[in-house]
Amino acid sequence: MSVHSARPVRGTRDILPEEMALRNRAEQIISDTYRAAGFEQIETPALEDIDLLLGSEGGENLKMLFTILKRGDKFRPAEDSEPKDLCDIGLRFDLTLPLSRYFSANKEKLALPFKAVQIGNVFRAERPQKGRFRSFKQCDIDIIGDPSIGAEIELVHTTGEALKALGFTDFTIKVNDRKLLNAFLGNKGFTDEQIPSVCIVLDKLDKIGQDGVAAELTEKFEDLSAEEAAALVAEAAQMTLDTAAQATGLDDAASDLKLLIDTTNAAAGGAYQAVFDFSLIRGMGYYTGPVFEVSYGPYGYSVGGGGRYDEMIGKTSKQSVPAVGFSIGFERIIGILEDEGRKISDDEQTFVLFYDLKDDLPAVLAASDGLKAEGKRVVLTQKKKKFGNQLKHAEESGAAGFMVFGRDEEPKLFESKES
Amino acid sequence: MSVHSARPVRGTRDILPEEMALRNRAEQIISDTYRAAGFEQIETPALEDIDLLLGSEGGENLKMLFTILKRGDKFRPAEDSEPKDLCDIGLRFDLTLPLSRYFSANKEKLALPFKAVQIGNVFRAERPQKGRFRSFKQCDIDIIGDPSIGAEIELVHTTGEALKALGFTDFTIKVNDRKLLNAFLGNKGFTDEQIPSVCIVLDKLDKIGQDGVAAELTEKFEDLSAEEAAALVAEAAQMTLDTAAQATGLDDAASDLKLLIDTTNAAAGGAYQAVFDFSLIRGMGYYTGPVFEVSYGPYGYSVGGGGRYDEMIGKTSKQSVPAVGFSIGFERIIGILEDEGRKISDDEQTFVLFYDLKDDLPAVLAASDGLKAEGKRVVLTQKKKKFGNQLKHAEESGAAGFMVFGRDEEPKLFESKES
């Protein structure tokens, strides 16, 4: 019999107990913060209809779909079959599109504004690289049915508080508004069709600088002279809320962003800050208003992001409903907590209860249940001949103490744990 | 623009906030019980290699695989393509096979015996029916590396305690041993190849009775006379641990089961009971020893099950390692809790904090954060013109009280909540 490889599927990973304990505590902190702020948790299936996924404005994510083969008689392959001919289901690539479908399907049972928490895995067939996986967890909060900047204020504040509760400080929440960006680029003569490609290039400002962005724009748009491109990029890079309002005439959008930034900063009391960043794009095509992104310390990637997507629910519902969401990149948060060797408080004490199969087993279980009732965690372990080794191993594994059934009346603390 | 259907994929479902709150509390109770008993949570990806899945002894589940299309150049359809030619990945149908692979991949980092908790969704393309879904949650505990009945005792006791902690009483844990069953049927002249089909028929004893089972066996096996079939079924139906030991000569297996049953019952103190049931089969082909199943009240389905699978880890590892697991059918547990209208304690109090966008917003957030710091859950809500309606709605939605920013110094309890 041949032995099958035990490696997980390419781009996915197994989670060991130590990391899992950290993940569970982090998820609990995030979930408690969201729930205390009045958000309600919901869940949607990992599977979604393939036409719904392909019909979304998921940008690059649509190229990374995992798609599921039709079953039974519906599976009819041909030489020129396209993936979408053979598949009826795909794995979700984010939690926003499923939430929109969910809201449309269940809106009679939900009061507006509906404040949702979702915590779940999403799937993208990306080229695997360090810290980037094909299955990863996201933690989203969304507010559906509130068209005002009050929704953005609540989301940004609650996300900031969740990150603070996880022990993060000095992070920055960058905010921008798609309406300002679109109006600015429209004034420069770009058509609605061109604007997304301009944005993709502008998004690289952090990485390739003003000269790099200007050069790429000149290359991409024949009508654009090198001078015009350089001027446009310089203007964008130096944009403030005041100049954005002047350049676009969108005074309301600019003053809403100002209210969002000022309120967030006042409530944060210096623990983190919100700033205007006109070069913040966010890849998804479905954003219609304010967008946000969290950057932290020296890490060259965002640890969260979101924005307003007022048109998406209209795709699965006759009525369009305003909506805005903020997603925490759970895997990146965990990666940073591990990188920085940070612990999230855990005062749990584990005791090893040694026993023998020949002991009075109901009494062994009663002793174990008694310790658990006192709030202790108990690892039942059969005594071996080399008991000294077992004891040493128990101590090394982090247990606080041990008890030998039939010999000890009470658990003993290991010497290293005695204060 | 056409509107896309908002229904979830066939056989899957959306979870509304009220059910989700119940699910989260139930999951927490199960997880706390497992963790207190020394089990450690781990996680594996929902995606597994298709050859690993197809090479397992997953029985009927292999006909219900969701399989994922190969991507890019590897997708090469032809008229005679089989699903397995076009797919490289499948969705897991249980948590046991992934755990075995996980153990083989990570065994250098895990101490033996390894006691694992897994909580996650599994996927089966079953014909949808009431209470049965294509994506559903399982909660498993497994002990790897302990060949003794001590492992079964620990699993059965811990699972019983988890169900008890959820408020279940008077449930029955049926136990049997594949070795006894195989020896009994071998003695009756069935070959190793025939025994699984005999078991499939015997498994229906509850549903179609002794006569029905005997008739099916006669039909299936030409060599078996109606009298022989009737005698075999009657013997099986009346089997006790003593007669099983006599019939098979497997005294150790029978006395191990006796120890498991007696210890479980003594520790349960009457809250639930373990019983020997020689007609308990459990569908999976991979079980090698004791098997268990939980039945509860009038429900004609099991709410949990498991068994020993000592040969499975050898498929992904050069060394075979003994293993045994017990799985709680989470969806069925939730269904029963909902059917019986039972609540799991939740003393959380929600307050609605009404505000206006023109208020001092940092002060609004500070008021909200202050209430949360006192342990209250706060739903921020913008005041509308019809404030009376809003208040009424807040009370009906279950909130304990409310506070109007700028008017009230302290939150007020709704009259219905005052004791």
Side-chain angles (χ1 to χ4, degrees):
Chain A
M1 196 180 68
S2 71
V3 171
H4 192 282
S5 162
R7 273 186 309 201
V9 162
R10 182 164 184 262
T12 69
R13 57 196 282 266
D14 292 328
I15 297 170
L16 288 163
E18 195 180 353
E19 180 185 340
M20 195 69 200
L22 175 70
R23 293 170 72 92
N24 280 346
R25 288 196 297 277
E27 184 175 328
Q28 196 65 51
I29 289 170
I30 294 171
S31 154
D32 286 349
T33 306
Y34 288 168
R35 198 163 162 74
F39 289 78
E40 299 188 290
Q41 199 169 338
I42 63 147
E43 198 175 285
T44 68
L47 314 178
E48 288 287 354
D49 186 276
I50 197 165
D51 293 328
L52 182 71
L53 294 168
L54 290 174
S56 71
E57 291 164 285
E60 291 293 304
N61 293 326
L62 298 186
K63 297 180 190 160
M64 302 189 277
L65 279 189
F66 283 108
T67 62
I68 291 176
L69 211 64
K70 292 178 181 172
R71 294 149 306 283
D73 296 343
K74 290 183 183 154
F75 172 64
R76 295 197 200 109
E79 206 164 324
D80 60 350
S81 293
E82 297 282 327
K84 70 177 163 36
D85 304 328
L86 299 178
C87 297
D88 55 353
I89 297 173
L91 298 184
R92 62 185 178 195
F93 58 80
D94 74 359
L95 300 176
T96 307
L97 181 66
L99 174 66
S100 297
R101 184 198 55 65
Y102 174 100
F103 179 78
S104 299
N106 299 289
K107 58 177 179 287
E108 278 86 26
K109 300 168 199 151
L110 304 169
L112 287 188
F114 176 52
K115 302 182 186 182
V117 178
Q118 291 183 93
I119 301 178
N121 273 56
V122 303
F123 302 86
R124 297 178 192 170
E126 293 195 77
R127 183 179 299 276
Q129 49 179 286
K130 187 181 179 307
R132 186 172 282 196
F133 296 98
R134 291 181 161 196
S135 165
F136 56 97
K137 185 167 269 192
Q138 288 193 328
C139 303
D140 284 20
I141 39 176
D142 292 79
I143 298 180
I144 295 177
D146 183 350
S148 83
I149 194 73
E152 277 87 348
I153 290 173
E154 211 180 319
L155 287 178
V156 170
H157 176 65
T158 305
T159 302
E161 293 301 299
L163 292 171
K164 199 171 100 180
L166 287 166
F168 288 89
T169 50
D170 286 332
F171 53 92
T172 300
I173 305 178
K174 298 188 265 185
V175 305
N176 192 12
D177 191 316
R178 277 283 172 89
K179 291 196 295 294
L180 294 175
L181 204 57
N182 290 344
F184 170 75
L185 295 173
N187 288 346
K188 297 293 174 194
F190 292 102
T191 65
D192 287 355
E193 288 69 37
Q194 289 172 327
I195 287 176
S197 352
V198 182
C199 286
I200 290 172
V201 183
L202 266 186
D203 200 20
K204 302 181 186 171
L205 203 53
D206 278 356
K207 286 178 194 145
I208 60 174
Q210 291 192 31
D211 293 347
V213 170
E216 265 199 43
L217 284 179
T218 321
E219 198 174 321
K220 214 162 192 171
F221 299 95
E222 291 182 356
D223 293 352
L224 197 73
S225 73
E227 291 72 30
E228 287 169 327
L232 181 154
V233 175
E235 190 179 352
Q238 286 148 33
M239 195 73 83
T240 64
L241 274 174
D242 286 341
T243 56
Q246 287 160 16
T248 62
L250 299 175
D251 291 341
D252 285 354
S255 66
D256 272 0
L257 277 196
K258 185 166 172 9
L259 188 64
L260 169 60
I261 292 168
D262 290 349
T263 305
T264 302
N265 288 336
Y272 52 92
Q273 55 282 324
V275 300
F276 175 65
D277 182 344
F278 194 62
S279 72
L280 173 66
I281 309 290
R282 300 295 301 163
M284 305 296 196
Y286 50 64
Y287 288 127
T288 57
V291 287
F292 348 104
E293 189 170 286
V294 185
S295 66
Y296 170 70
Y299 299 92
Y301 45 71
S302 74
V303 297
R308 182 170 279 281
Y309 51 99
D310 283 349
E311 307 300 330
M312 198 195 291
I313 290 171
K315 288 182 185 276
T316 46
S317 191
K318 282 175 192 161
Q319 234 174 326
S320 198
V321 182
V324 53
F326 207 147
S327 174
I328 287 183
F330 188 76
E331 305 297 337
R332 290 177 171 184
I333 294 292
I334 296 297
I336 294 173
L337 290 174
E338 288 189 319
D339 267 7
E340 300 188 346
R342 284 205 268 143
K343 305 260 178 218
I344 309 180
S345 80
D346 173 19
D347 49 12
E348 177 186 67
Q349 276 198 319
T350 298
F351 288 82
V352 179
L353 174 55
F354 290 101
Y355 77 105
D356 192 287
L357 265 187
K358 290 181 193 126
D359 286 332
D360 174 2
L361 294 181
V364 172
L365 293 185
S368 163
D369 289 348
L371 293 174
K372 286 188 274 178
E374 293 169 10
K376 297 183 174 72
R377 184 169 176 245
V378 182
V379 180
L380 273 175
T381 303
Q382 287 178 48
K383 224 166 25 193
K384 291 182 192 158
K385 281 183 189 155
K386 297 189 176 175
F387 182 57
N389 280 352
Q390 276 188 295
L391 261 191
K392 201 175 143 209
H393 184 79
E395 184 167 7
E396 285 167 359
S397 74
F402 71 100
M403 180 169 151
V404 179
F405 182 81
R407 188 192 81 179
D408 304 331
E409 293 289 317
E410 293 288 331
K412 300 175 178 172
L413 283 176
F414 285 118
E415 282 180 17
S416 60
K417 313 283 162 153
E418 285 172 3
S419 51
Chain B
M1 195 180 68
S2 72
V3 171
H4 192 282
S5 161
R7 273 187 311 202
V9 162
R10 182 164 184 261
T12 69
R13 58 195 283 265
D14 292 327
I15 298 169
L16 288 164
E18 194 180 355
E19 180 185 340
M20 194 69 201
L22 176 70
R23 293 171 72 92
N24 279 346
R25 287 196 298 277
E27 184 176 327
Q28 194 67 51
I29 289 170
I30 294 171
S31 153
D32 285 349
T33 306
Y34 288 167
R35 200 165 159 74
F39 289 79
E40 299 188 291
Q41 198 168 339
I42 63 145
E43 197 175 287
T44 69
L47 315 178
E48 288 287 355
D49 186 276
I50 196 164
D51 293 326
L52 182 71
L53 293 168
L54 290 174
S56 71
E57 291 165 285
E60 291 293 303
N61 292 326
L62 298 188
K63 296 179 191 160
M64 302 190 277
L65 278 189
F66 282 109
T67 62
I68 290 176
L69 211 64
K70 291 179 182 172
R71 296 148 306 282
D73 296 344
K74 290 181 182 153
F75 172 64
R76 296 199 200 105
E79 205 164 325
D80 60 351
S81 293
E82 296 282 328
K84 68 176 164 39
D85 304 329
L86 299 178
C87 296
D88 55 351
I89 298 173
L91 298 184
R92 62 186 178 193
F93 58 81
D94 75 358
L95 300 176
T96 306
L97 180 66
L99 175 66
S100 297
R101 183 198 55 66
Y102 174 98
F103 180 77
S104 299
N106 299 290
K107 59 177 179 287
E108 278 85 27
K109 298 168 200 151
L110 304 169
L112 288 188
F114 176 52
K115 303 182 184 181
V117 177
Q118 292 183 92
I119 301 178
N121 274 56
V122 303
F123 303 85
R124 298 178 192 170
E126 292 195 78
R127 184 181 298 275
Q129 50 180 287
K130 187 181 177 308
R132 187 171 282 196
F133 297 98
R134 291 183 159 193
S135 165
F136 57 97
K137 185 168 270 192
Q138 289 193 329
C139 303
D140 284 20
I141 40 177
D142 292 81
I143 298 180
I144 295 177
D146 183 349
S148 84
I149 194 72
E152 277 87 348
I153 290 173
E154 210 179 320
L155 287 179
V156 170
H157 176 65
T158 305
T159 302
E161 294 301 299
L163 292 171
K164 199 172 101 180
L166 287 166
F168 287 89
T169 50
D170 287 332
F171 53 92
T172 300
I173 304 178
K174 299 188 265 187
V175 305
N176 192 12
D177 191 314
R178 276 283 171 88
K179 291 195 297 291
L180 294 175
L181 203 58
N182 289 346
F184 170 76
L185 294 173
N187 288 346
K188 296 292 172 197
F190 292 102
T191 65
D192 287 355
E193 288 69 38
Q194 290 172 326
I195 288 176
S197 353
V198 183
C199 287
I200 289 172
V201 183
L202 268 185
D203 200 21
K204 303 181 185 171
L205 203 52
D206 279 355
K207 285 178 192 143
I208 61 176
Q210 291 191 33
D211 292 348
V213 169
E216 265 199 43
L217 283 179
T218 321
E219 196 174 320
K220 214 161 190 171
F221 298 97
E222 291 182 355
D223 294 351
L224 197 72
S225 73
E227 292 71 30
E228 288 169 327
L232 181 154
V233 176
E235 190 179 352
Q238 287 148 32
M239 195 73 84
T240 64
L241 273 174
D242 287 341
T243 56
Q246 287 159 17
T248 62
L250 298 175
D251 292 342
D252 286 354
S255 66
D256 272 0
L257 277 196
K258 186 165 169 14
L259 188 63
L260 170 60
I261 292 168
D262 291 349
T263 306
T264 302
N265 288 336
Y272 51 93
Q273 56 282 324
V275 300
F276 176 64
D277 182 345
F278 194 61
S279 72
L280 174 67
I281 308 289
R282 300 293 303 160
M284 305 296 196
Y286 50 64
Y287 289 128
T288 57
V291 288
F292 348 105
E293 189 169 286
V294 185
S295 66
Y296 170 70
Y299 299 92
Y301 45 69
S302 73
V303 297
R308 183 170 278 280
Y309 51 99
D310 283 350
E311 308 299 330
M312 199 196 290
I313 290 170
K315 289 181 184 273
T316 46
S317 191
K318 282 176 192 163
Q319 234 173 324
S320 198
V321 182
V324 52
F326 206 146
S327 176
I328 287 184
F330 188 76
E331 306 297 336
R332 289 176 170 183
I333 294 293
I334 296 298
I336 294 173
L337 290 174
E338 288 189 319
D339 267 9
E340 301 189 345
R342 283 204 272 141
K343 306 258 177 220
I344 308 179
S345 80
D346 173 19
D347 48 11
E348 177 186 66
Q349 277 198 319
T350 299
F351 288 82
V352 180
L353 175 56
F354 291 101
Y355 77 104
D356 192 286
L357 265 187
K358 291 181 193 125
D359 286 333
D360 173 2
L361 294 180
V364 171
L365 293 184
S368 164
D369 289 347
L371 294 173
K372 287 188 274 180
E374 293 168 11
K376 297 182 174 73
R377 185 171 175 245
V378 182
V379 181
L380 272 176
T381 303
Q382 287 178 47
K383 224 167 24 197
K384 291 182 193 158
K385 281 182 190 157
K386 298 187 175 177
F387 181 57
N389 281 352
Q390 275 189 297
L391 259 192
K392 201 175 143 212
H393 183 81
E395 185 168 5
E396 284 167 1
S397 75
F402 70 100
M403 181 170 150
V404 179
F405 182 82
R407 188 192 81 178
D408 304 331
E409 292 288 317
E410 292 289 330
K412 299 175 179 173
L413 284 176
F414 285 118
E415 282 179 19
S416 61
K417 313 285 163 154
E418 283 171 6
S419 54

